[in-house]
Amino acid sequence: MAPPGFVQLDDSKFVRDGKPYAVVGANYWQAGWLGMEKAPGNRERLAKDLKQMADLGFTNLRLMASCEGPESEPFRIVPAITPKPNEINEDALVGLDYALDQLNELGLTAVITLNNQWQWSGGFSQYVKWADEANGNFDKIPYPSSYDSRTREFFDGITYEEFELYGSRFYKDDSIKDICQKWWKKHIELIINRKNTVNGKLYKEDPTIFAWQLANEPQTPPKWWIDESTAFIKSLDSEHLVNVGSETKHTEPDEQFLINHAPSTVDYTTCHLWVQNWNIYDGSDSSPENLQKAQEFADNFLSQRGQWAKQLGKPIVLEEFGIARDQWLDQSNLYNPELPVSN
């Protein structure tokens, strides 16, 4: 039986202290950075955000507990938590300590994400870069074409499909995967065994933590990596839930959902739904037909993944979804916060 306050599973449902627990929330990647005492910390903003989300009925937030340097690279959240392999920025982790303590005060829980397929926190691609350098290869990371919020400019690079292949070398390239896993497991161990400097709780004993998540949106991860990584986490902490962080994109083979979620060391399933990113929905098209096509796709997407989760006897969490605002009204600024959200 889990200690008081821990979210656990009961008959494929989330429960906390014997009562059903509904997961309602959002990504709040920046929490640890806002919780820092030094720049870019903003504890007043953190408190305001968390209070607003709690008042709206949120129960659960996804927080990032990894961010790899160097900070000179584009797209990155700064400062890095891990500027170099086996080097830790304690100031950044104190910020995460503070954020977790604030969540606890409001009765919120957190999914702690331990890596990332994508470039904005370093993630897989930075581990690949470090491993290549250790082997004498100093080629730059080939970033995908995307908007860089730090420079406020559009970066012209490779396709996301090509970047995905580069980052996935983290667990698919025999020449570097072992050193990548060694470095990453050391980071996992450090986080799970960390003692919160604000409230004195060990992370692995803190019920504010809902689950450990391997990574944000690992793309077609190999079965050995899921088995080994989740078992490693369970060996360090047998009380918290563990999940993969899988997007389960529609372009993946159907069996990938089962590969990602079938292991006994994976406690629940996940999916993300991005109809605009996947070119199902056209943000410049205001027609009812455009919206209907996206709705029908979403219905089928969620229904299928729900069936797969039921087949495994595990809960499913839709972690991410959304489309842009009514951008057909302002093609010059697709992220204009003043635009309405009729769709």
Side-chain angles (χ1 to χ4, degrees), residues 121-133:
S121 68
F124 291 175
S125 61
Q126 186 59 59
Y127 279 99
V128 169
K129 170 64 172 168
W130 283 333
D132 277 347
E133 289 179 350

Side-chain angles (χ1 to χ4, degrees), residues 89-218:
N89 180 345
E90 178 63 14
D91 289 338
L93 287 184
V94 169
L96 183 60
D97 294 343
Y98 183 85
L100 282 170
D101 188 64
Q102 291 297 295
L103 264 71
N104 175 60
E105 291 294 320
L106 292 168
L108 302 171
T109 62
V111 173
I112 301 296
T113 305
L114 298 165
N115 212 325
N116 192 3
Q117 176 81 47
W118 308 118
Q119 67 273 24
W120 48 266
S121 68
F124 291 175
S125 61
Q126 186 59 59
Y127 279 99
V128 169
K129 170 64 172 168
W130 283 333
D132 277 347
E133 289 179 350
N135 289 337
N137 178 356
F138 294 91
D139 290 345
K140 294 182 177 180
I141 296 174
Y143 290 108
S145 297
S146 58
Y147 178 76
D148 187 346
S149 60
R150 288 173 62 180
T151 63
R152 298 184 182 275
E153 295 179 352
F154 189 82
F155 179 87
D156 189 16
I158 63 175
T159 67
Y160 265 93
E161 289 74 17
E162 292 170 323
F163 181 72
E164 174 189 322
L165 293 175
Y166 177 85
S168 293
R169 293 176 57 209
F170 171 76
Y171 43 46
K172 292 183 179 180
D173 186 335
D174 289 341
S175 70
I176 63 170
K177 68 182 184 183
D178 288 345
I179 188 62
C180 287
Q181 303 311 307
K182 180 181 178 181
W183 286 331
W184 181 50
K185 284 181 178 177
K186 187 167 184 178
H187 179 74
I188 292 173
E189 192 168 6
L190 182 148
I191 294 295
I192 290 178
N193 289 326
R194 181 172 176 80
K195 185 175 183 179
N196 191 307
T197 58
V198 177
N199 57 34
K201 298 177 183 177
L202 293 174
Y203 277 26
K204 63 184 176 183
E205 297 176 355
D206 187 354
T208 306
I209 294 174
F210 174 89
W212 303 111
Q213 183 168 90
L214 298 189
N216 174 51
E217 299 187 340

Side-chain angles (χ1 to χ4, degrees), residues 223-238:
K223 183 179 184 301
W224 73 262
W225 180 74
I226 294 171
D227 291 345
E228 182 179 298
S229 303
T230 55
F232 178 69
I233 292 174
K234 289 289 189 181
S235 74
L236 299 172
D237 175 5
S238 61

Side-chain angles (χ1 to χ4, degrees), residues 226-266:
I226 294 171
D227 291 345
E228 182 179 298
S229 303
T230 55
F232 178 69
I233 292 174
K234 289 289 189 181
S235 74
L236 299 172
D237 175 5
S238 61
E239 301 295 353
H240 283 105
L241 303 176
V242 175
N243 79 93
V244 178
S246 177
E247 185 177 23
T248 58
K249 193 183 296 182
H250 64 297
T251 54
E252 293 180 345
D254 288 355
E255 61 267 21
Q256 189 67 47
F257 186 95
L258 302 181
I259 291 172
N260 291 357
H261 300 115
S264 61
T265 45
V266 176

